[in-house]
Every structure is written in C-alpha cells, then in structure tokens.
Amino acid sequence: MEFRRDLLQMIAPTQPEPGCLAFHVFESLAELRVFAIHSEWTDETAFECHAQLPHAVRFLKAAEQLLT
C-alpha cells in the first residue's frame, strides 16, 4: 500500500528535526488501512517549519492523492 509506505518514510527524517520531541506512526491491528500519527513539538513554529520541509510537503501531496 503506497500510503503506508509513504507514511513510514516520514519517521526517519522527522524525528531528528529541531523542535521534534516525538513522532510516532501507528497502524490499527483491528481495522485495515487505519493509521494514526502522534507528534509532539516544542512549539507551533517548530511544527510549521516541519510542514514546509520537502519530505513533509511530498507526503501531504501523496496523501491527498491516495486518501478518499
């Protein structure tokens, strides 16, 4: 599944970002294709910076196309 792959590829580049306290991806064992992201940031500015980075922009564009 493309979305799962793309989501998991977000972990490695996101965790070491400045201001990232935690970034975890969860996949439901009970329901296929149900995912959750839990992230913690030092502040809104750190999160906004993350959202502008190439890997985050790429993921959001892919998610828009893959999700219904």
Side-chain angles (χ1 to χ4, degrees):
M1 168 196 281
E2 289 179 64
F3 179 78
R4 182 181 190 278
R5 181 202 63 218
D6 292 346
L7 181 55
L8 293 176
Q9 288 178 347
M10 284 288 294
I11 298 169
T14 301
Q15 287 178 333
E17 287 178 31
C20 181
L21 301 175
F23 186 88
H24 303 285
V25 172
F26 301 93
E27 183 175 2
S28 173
L29 297 175
E31 297 182 58
L32 294 176
R33 300 181 180 157
V34 173
F35 299 89
I37 299 171
H38 175 261
S39 64
E40 294 180 57
W41 300 86
T42 54
D43 54 30
E44 188 72 24
T45 301
F47 178 76
E48 289 172 3
C49 181
H50 157 73
Q52 300 300 315
L53 293 174
H55 62 277
V57 171
R58 194 169 37 253
F59 170 74
L60 292 174
K61 284 184 182 180
E64 285 178 10
Q65 293 177 350
L66 295 170
L67 298 177
T68 56

Coordinates of all heavy atoms in Angstrom, one line a residue:
M1 N 0.8 -1.2 0.0 CA 0.0 0.0 0.0 C 0.9 1.2 0.0 O 1.8 1.4 0.8 CB -0.9 0.0 1.2 CG -1.6 1.2 1.5 SD -2.3 1.4 3.1 CE -3.8 0.5 3.0
E2 N 0.7 2.1 -1.0 CA 1.5 3.3 -1.1 C 1.4 4.2 0.1 O 2.5 4.8 0.5 CB 1.1 4.1 -2.4 CG 1.4 3.4 -3.7 CD 1.0 4.2 -4.8 OE1 1.5 5.4 -5.0 OE2 0.1 3.7 -5.6
F3 N 0.2 4.5 0.6 CA 0.1 5.4 1.7 C 0.9 4.9 2.9 O 1.6 5.7 3.6 CB -1.4 5.6 2.1 CG -1.5 6.5 3.3 CD1 -1.5 7.9 3.1 CD2 -1.7 6.0 4.6 CE1 -1.6 8.7 4.2 CE2 -1.9 6.8 5.6 CZ -1.8 8.2 5.4
R4 N 0.8 3.6 3.2 CA 1.6 3.1 4.4 C 3.1 3.3 4.2 O 3.8 3.7 5.1 CB 1.3 1.6 4.5 CG 2.0 0.9 5.7 CD 1.6 -0.6 5.7 NE 2.1 -1.2 6.9 CZ 3.3 -1.6 7.1 NH1 4.2 -1.5 6.2 NH2 3.7 -2.1 8.3
R5 N 3.6 3.0 3.0 CA 5.0 3.2 2.7 C 5.4 4.6 2.8 O 6.4 5.0 3.5 CB 5.3 2.7 1.2 CG 6.7 2.9 0.8 CD 6.9 2.9 -0.7 NE 6.3 4.1 -1.2 CZ 5.6 4.1 -2.3 NH1 5.5 3.1 -3.1 NH2 5.1 5.3 -2.8
D6 N 4.6 5.5 2.3 CA 4.9 7.0 2.3 C 4.9 7.5 3.8 O 5.7 8.3 4.2 CB 3.9 7.8 1.5 CG 4.1 7.5 0.0 OD1 5.1 6.9 -0.4 OD2 3.2 7.9 -0.8
L7 N 3.9 7.0 4.6 CA 3.8 7.4 5.9 C 5.0 6.9 6.8 O 5.6 7.7 7.5 CB 2.5 6.9 6.5 CG 2.2 7.2 8.0 CD1 2.2 8.7 8.2 CD2 0.9 6.6 8.4
L8 N 5.4 5.7 6.6 CA 6.5 5.1 7.3 C 7.8 5.8 6.9 O 8.7 6.0 7.7 CB 6.7 3.6 7.1 CG 5.5 2.8 7.7 CD1 5.7 1.3 7.3 CD2 5.5 3.0 9.2
Q9 N 7.9 6.3 5.7 CA 9.1 7.1 5.2 C 9.2 8.4 5.9 O 10.3 9.1 5.8 CB 9.1 7.2 3.7 CG 9.4 5.9 3.0 CD 9.4 6.0 1.5 OE1 8.9 7.0 0.9 NE2 9.9 5.0 0.9
M10 N 8.2 8.9 6.6 CA 8.2 10.2 7.2 C 9.0 10.1 8.6 O 9.5 11.1 9.1 CB 6.8 10.7 7.5 CG 6.1 11.2 6.3 SD 6.7 12.8 5.9 CE 6.3 13.8 7.3
I11 N 9.1 8.9 9.2 CA 9.6 8.8 10.5 C 11.1 9.2 10.6 O 11.4 10.1 11.4 CB 9.4 7.3 11.0 CG1 7.9 7.0 11.1 CG2 10.1 7.2 12.4 CD1 7.7 5.5 11.3
A12 N 11.9 8.6 9.8 CA 13.4 8.8 9.9 C 13.8 10.3 9.7 O 14.6 10.8 10.5 CB 14.1 7.9 8.9
P13 N 13.2 11.0 8.7 CA 13.7 12.4 8.6 C 13.0 13.3 9.6 O 13.5 14.4 9.8 CB 13.3 12.8 7.1 CG 12.2 11.8 6.8 CD 12.4 10.6 7.5
T14 N 11.9 12.9 10.1 CA 11.1 13.8 11.0 C 11.7 13.8 12.4 O 11.8 14.9 13.1 CB 9.6 13.5 11.0 OG1 9.1 13.7 9.7 CG2 8.9 14.4 11.9
Q15 N 12.0 12.6 13.0 CA 12.4 12.5 14.4 C 13.6 13.4 14.8 O 13.6 14.0 15.8 CB 12.6 11.1 14.7 CG 11.3 10.3 14.9 CD 11.5 8.8 15.2 OE1 12.6 8.2 14.9 NE2 10.5 8.2 15.8
P16 N 14.6 13.5 13.9 CA 15.7 14.4 14.3 C 15.6 15.9 14.1 O 16.5 16.7 14.3 CB 16.9 13.8 13.5 CG 16.3 13.3 12.3 CD 14.9 12.8 12.7
E17 N 14.4 16.3 13.5 CA 14.2 17.7 13.2 C 14.3 18.6 14.5 O 13.8 18.1 15.6 CB 12.8 17.9 12.6 CG 12.7 17.4 11.2 CD 11.3 17.7 10.6 OE1 10.6 18.6 11.1 OE2 10.9 16.9 9.8
P18 N 14.8 19.8 14.4 CA 14.8 20.7 15.5 C 13.3 20.9 16.0 O 12.4 21.2 15.2 CB 15.4 22.0 14.9 CG 16.1 21.6 13.7 CD 15.4 20.4 13.2
G19 N 13.1 20.8 17.3 CA 11.8 21.0 17.9 C 10.9 19.8 17.9 O 9.9 19.8 18.5
C20 N 11.3 18.7 17.3 CA 10.5 17.5 17.3 C 10.9 16.7 18.6 O 12.0 16.3 18.8 CB 10.8 16.6 16.1 SG 9.8 15.1 16.1
L21 N 9.9 16.6 19.5 CA 10.0 15.8 20.7 C 9.7 14.4 20.5 O 10.2 13.5 21.2 CB 9.2 16.5 21.8 CG 9.5 17.9 22.2 CD1 8.5 18.5 23.2 CD2 10.9 18.1 22.7
A22 N 8.7 14.1 19.6 CA 8.3 12.8 19.4 C 7.5 12.7 18.0 O 6.8 13.7 17.7 CB 7.4 12.2 20.5
F23 N 7.7 11.7 17.3 CA 6.9 11.4 16.1 C 6.8 9.9 15.9 O 7.7 9.2 15.7 CB 7.7 12.0 14.9 CG 6.9 11.9 13.6 CD1 6.0 13.0 13.3 CD2 7.0 10.8 12.7 CE1 5.2 12.9 12.1 CE2 6.2 10.8 11.6 CZ 5.3 11.8 11.3
H24 N 5.5 9.5 16.1 CA 5.2 8.0 16.0 C 4.1 7.8 15.1 O 3.1 8.6 15.0 CB 4.9 7.5 17.4 CG 5.9 7.8 18.4 ND1 7.1 7.1 18.5 CD2 6.0 8.7 19.4 CE1 7.8 7.5 19.5 NE2 7.2 8.5 20.1
V25 N 4.2 6.7 14.4 CA 3.1 6.2 13.5 C 2.5 5.0 14.0 O 3.3 4.0 14.4 CB 3.7 6.0 12.0 CG1 2.6 5.4 11.1 CG2 4.2 7.3 11.5
F26 N 1.2 4.9 14.0 CA 0.5 3.7 14.5 C -0.4 3.2 13.4 O -1.0 3.9 12.7 CB -0.3 4.0 15.7 CG 0.5 4.5 16.9 CD1 0.7 5.9 17.0 CD2 1.1 3.7 17.7 CE1 1.5 6.4 18.1 CE2 1.9 4.2 18.8 CZ 2.1 5.5 18.9
E27 N -0.5 1.8 13.3 CA -1.4 1.2 12.4 C -2.3 0.3 13.1 O -1.9 -0.5 14.0 CB -0.5 0.4 11.4 CG -1.3 -0.3 10.3 CD -0.5 -1.0 9.2 OE1 0.8 -1.0 9.4 OE2 -1.0 -1.5 8.3
S28 N -3.6 0.4 12.9 CA -4.6 -0.4 13.6 C -4.4 -1.9 13.2 O -4.2 -2.3 12.1 CB -6.0 0.0 13.2 OG -7.0 -0.8 13.7
L29 N -4.5 -2.7 14.2 CA -4.5 -4.2 14.0 C -5.9 -4.7 13.8 O -6.1 -5.7 13.1 CB -3.9 -4.9 15.2 CG -2.5 -4.5 15.6 CD1 -2.0 -5.2 16.9 CD2 -1.6 -5.0 14.4
A30 N -6.9 -3.9 14.2 CA -8.3 -4.3 14.0 C -8.9 -3.9 12.7 O -9.8 -4.6 12.2 CB -9.1 -3.8 15.2
E31 N -8.5 -2.7 12.2 CA -9.1 -2.2 11.0 C -8.0 -1.9 10.0 O -7.1 -1.2 10.2 CB -9.8 -0.9 11.3 CG -11.0 -1.1 12.3 CD -11.7 0.2 12.5 OE1 -12.2 0.8 11.5 OE2 -11.8 0.7 13.6
L32 N -8.2 -2.6 8.8 CA -7.2 -2.3 7.7 C -7.3 -0.9 7.3 O -8.3 -0.2 7.3 CB -7.6 -3.2 6.5 CG -7.4 -4.7 6.8 CD1 -7.9 -5.5 5.5 CD2 -6.0 -5.1 7.0
R33 N -6.1 -0.4 7.0 CA -6.0 1.0 6.4 C -6.4 2.1 7.4 O -6.8 3.2 7.0 CB -6.7 1.1 5.1 CG -6.2 0.1 4.1 CD -7.0 0.3 2.8 NE -6.4 -0.7 1.8 CZ -7.1 -1.1 0.8 NH1 -8.3 -0.7 0.6 NH2 -6.6 -2.0 0.0
V34 N -6.2 1.8 8.7 CA -6.4 2.9 9.7 C -5.1 3.2 10.3 O -4.5 2.3 10.9 CB -7.5 2.5 10.7 CG1 -7.6 3.5 11.8 CG2 -8.9 2.3 10.0
F35 N -4.7 4.4 10.2 CA -3.4 4.9 10.7 C -3.6 6.1 11.7 O -4.6 6.8 11.5 CB -2.5 5.3 9.6 CG -2.2 4.2 8.6 CD1 -3.0 3.9 7.5 CD2 -1.1 3.3 8.9 CE1 -2.7 2.9 6.7 CE2 -0.8 2.3 8.0 CZ -1.6 2.1 6.9
A36 N -2.6 6.3 12.5 CA -2.6 7.5 13.4 C -1.2 8.0 13.5 O -0.2 7.2 13.5 CB -3.2 7.2 14.7
I37 N -1.1 9.3 13.6 CA 0.3 9.9 13.8 C 0.2 10.6 15.1 O -0.8 11.4 15.3 CB 0.6 10.9 12.7 CG1 0.7 10.2 11.3 CG2 1.9 11.6 13.0 CD1 0.8 11.2 10.1
H38 N 1.1 10.4 15.9 CA 1.2 11.2 17.2 C 2.6 11.9 17.2 O 3.6 11.3 17.0 CB 1.2 10.3 18.4 CG 1.4 11.0 19.7 ND1 2.6 11.1 20.3 CD2 0.5 11.8 20.4 CE1 2.5 11.8 21.4 NE2 1.2 12.3 21.5
S39 N 2.5 13.2 17.2 CA 3.7 14.0 17.2 C 3.7 15.1 18.3 O 2.6 15.6 18.6 CB 4.0 14.6 15.8 OG 3.0 15.6 15.5
E40 N 4.8 15.4 18.8 CA 5.0 16.4 19.8 C 6.1 17.4 19.4 O 7.1 16.9 19.0 CB 5.3 15.8 21.2 CG 4.2 15.0 21.8 CD 4.7 14.4 23.1 OE1 5.0 15.2 24.0 OE2 4.7 13.2 23.3
W41 N 5.8 18.7 19.5 CA 6.8 19.7 19.1 C 7.0 20.7 20.2 O 6.1 20.9 21.0 CB 6.2 20.4 17.8 CG 6.0 19.4 16.7 CD1 4.9 18.6 16.5 CD2 7.0 19.0 15.7 NE1 5.1 17.8 15.4 CE2 6.4 18.0 14.9 CE3 8.3 19.4 15.4 CZ2 7.0 17.4 13.9 CZ3 8.9 18.8 14.4 CH2 8.3 17.8 13.6
T42 N 8.1 21.3 20.2 CA 8.4 22.3 21.3 C 7.5 23.5 21.2 O 7.1 24.0 22.2 CB 9.9 22.8 21.2 OG1 10.1 23.3 19.9 CG2 10.9 21.7 21.5
D43 N 7.1 23.8 20.0 CA 6.2 24.9 19.8 C 5.6 24.9 18.4 O 6.0 24.1 17.5 CB 6.8 26.3 20.1 CG 8.1 26.5 19.3 OD1 8.2 26.0 18.1 OD2 9.0 27.2 19.8
E44 N 4.6 25.8 18.1 CA 4.0 25.9 16.8 C 4.9 26.2 15.7 O 4.8 25.7 14.6 CB 2.9 26.9 16.9 CG 2.0 27.0 15.7 CD 1.0 25.8 15.6 OE1 0.7 25.1 16.6 OE2 0.6 25.5 14.5
T45 N 5.9 27.0 16.0 CA 6.9 27.4 15.0 C 7.7 26.2 14.5 O 7.9 26.0 13.3 CB 7.9 28.4 15.5 OG1 7.1 29.6 15.9 CG2 8.9 28.8 14.5
A46 N 8.1 25.3 15.4 CA 8.8 24.1 15.0 C 7.9 23.2 14.1 O 8.4 22.6 13.1 CB 9.2 23.3 16.3
F47 N 6.6 23.1 14.5 CA 5.7 22.3 13.7 C 5.5 22.9 12.3 O 5.6 22.2 11.3 CB 4.4 22.1 14.3 CG 3.4 21.3 13.5 CD1 3.5 19.9 13.4 CD2 2.4 22.0 12.8 CE1 2.7 19.2 12.5 CE2 1.5 21.2 12.0 CZ 1.7 19.9 11.9
E48 N 5.4 24.2 12.2 CA 5.2 24.9 11.0 C 6.5 24.7 10.1 O 6.3 24.6 8.9 CB 4.9 26.4 11.2 CG 3.5 26.6 11.8 CD 3.2 28.0 12.2 OE1 4.1 28.9 12.0 OE2 2.1 28.3 12.7
C49 N 7.6 24.8 10.7 CA 8.9 24.5 9.9 C 8.9 23.1 9.3 O 9.2 22.9 8.2 CB 10.1 24.8 10.8 SG 11.6 24.5 10.0
H50 N 8.5 22.2 10.2 CA 8.4 20.8 9.7 C 7.5 20.7 8.5 O 7.8 20.0 7.5 CB 7.9 19.9 10.9 CG 7.2 18.6 10.4 ND1 8.0 17.6 9.9 CD2 5.9 18.3 10.3 CE1 7.1 16.6 9.6 NE2 5.9 17.0 9.8
A51 N 6.3 21.3 8.5 CA 5.3 21.2 7.5 C 5.8 21.8 6.2 O 5.3 21.5 5.1 CB 4.1 21.9 7.9
Q52 N 6.9 22.6 6.2 CA 7.5 23.2 5.0 C 8.6 22.4 4.4 O 9.1 22.7 3.3 CB 7.9 24.6 5.3 CG 6.8 25.5 5.8 CD 5.7 25.7 4.8 OE1 5.9 25.8 3.6 NE2 4.5 25.6 5.2
L53 N 9.1 21.4 5.1 CA 10.3 20.6 4.7 C 9.9 19.7 3.5 O 8.7 19.3 3.5 CB 10.9 19.9 5.8 CG 11.5 20.7 6.9 CD1 12.0 19.9 8.1 CD2 12.7 21.5 6.3
P54 N 10.8 19.4 2.6 CA 10.4 18.7 1.4 C 9.8 17.3 1.7 O 8.8 17.0 1.0 CB 11.8 18.5 0.7 CG 12.6 19.6 1.1 CD 12.2 19.9 2.6
H55 N 10.2 16.6 2.7 CA 9.6 15.3 2.9 C 8.2 15.4 3.4 O 7.3 14.6 3.1 CB 10.5 14.4 3.9 CG 10.6 15.0 5.3 ND1 11.6 16.0 5.5 CD2 10.0 14.8 6.4 CE1 11.5 16.3 6.8 NE2 10.5 15.6 7.4
A56 N 7.9 16.4 4.2 CA 6.5 16.6 4.7 C 5.6 17.1 3.5 O 4.5 16.6 3.4 CB 6.5 17.6 5.8
V57 N 6.1 18.0 2.7 CA 5.3 18.5 1.6 C 5.0 17.4 0.6 O 3.9 17.2 0.2 CB 6.0 19.7 0.9 CG1 5.4 20.0 -0.4 CG2 6.2 20.9 1.8
R58 N 6.0 16.5 0.4 CA 5.9 15.4 -0.5 C 4.8 14.4 0.0 O 3.9 13.9 -0.7 CB 7.2 14.7 -0.7 CG 7.3 13.7 -1.8 CD 8.8 13.3 -2.1 NE 9.6 13.1 -0.9 CZ 10.6 14.0 -0.6 NH1 10.9 15.0 -1.4 NH2 11.4 13.7 0.4
F59 N 4.9 14.1 1.4 CA 3.9 13.2 2.0 C 2.5 13.8 1.9 O 1.6 13.0 1.5 CB 4.3 12.9 3.4 CG 3.2 12.2 4.1 CD1 3.0 10.8 3.9 CD2 2.4 12.8 5.0 CE1 1.9 10.2 4.5 CE2 1.3 12.2 5.7 CZ 1.1 10.8 5.4
L60 N 2.3 15.0 2.2 CA 1.0 15.6 2.2 C 0.4 15.6 0.8 O -0.8 15.3 0.6 CB 1.0 17.0 2.7 CG 1.3 17.1 4.2 CD1 1.4 18.6 4.7 CD2 0.2 16.4 5.0
K61 N 1.2 15.8 -0.2 CA 0.7 15.8 -1.6 C 0.3 14.4 -2.0 O -0.7 14.1 -2.6 CB 1.7 16.3 -2.6 CG 1.8 17.8 -2.6 CD 2.8 18.3 -3.6 CE 2.9 19.8 -3.5 NZ 3.9 20.4 -4.5
A62 N 1.1 13.4 -1.6 CA 0.8 12.0 -1.9 C -0.4 11.6 -1.1 O -1.3 10.9 -1.7 CB 2.0 11.1 -1.5
A63 N -0.6 12.0 0.1 CA -1.7 11.6 0.9 C -3.0 12.2 0.3 O -4.0 11.5 0.3 CB -1.6 12.2 2.3
E64 N -3.0 13.4 -0.2 CA -4.2 14.0 -0.9 C -4.6 13.1 -2.1 O -5.8 13.0 -2.3 CB -3.8 15.4 -1.4 CG -3.8 16.4 -0.3 CD -3.4 17.8 -0.8 OE1 -3.4 18.0 -2.1 OE2 -3.1 18.7 0.0
Q65 N -3.7 12.6 -2.8 CA -4.0 11.8 -4.0 C -4.4 10.3 -3.6 O -5.3 9.8 -4.2 CB -2.8 11.7 -4.9 CG -2.4 13.0 -5.5 CD -1.2 12.9 -6.4 OE1 -0.5 11.9 -6.4 NE2 -0.9 14.0 -7.1
L66 N -3.9 9.8 -2.5 CA -4.2 8.4 -2.1 C -5.4 8.2 -1.2 O -5.9 7.2 -1.2 CB -2.9 7.8 -1.4 CG -1.7 7.7 -2.3 CD1 -0.5 7.3 -1.5 CD2 -1.9 6.7 -3.4
L67 N -5.7 9.3 -0.4 CA -6.8 9.1 0.5 C -8.1 9.6 -0.1 O -8.2 10.5 -0.9 CB -6.5 9.9 1.8 CG -5.3 9.5 2.5 CD1 -5.1 10.4 3.7 CD2 -5.4 8.1 3.0
T68 N -9.2 8.9 0.3 CA -10.5 9.3 -0.2 C -11.3 9.9 1.0 O -11.0 9.8 2.1 CB -11.3 8.1 -0.7 OG1 -11.4 7.1 0.4 CG2 -10.6 7.5 -1.9

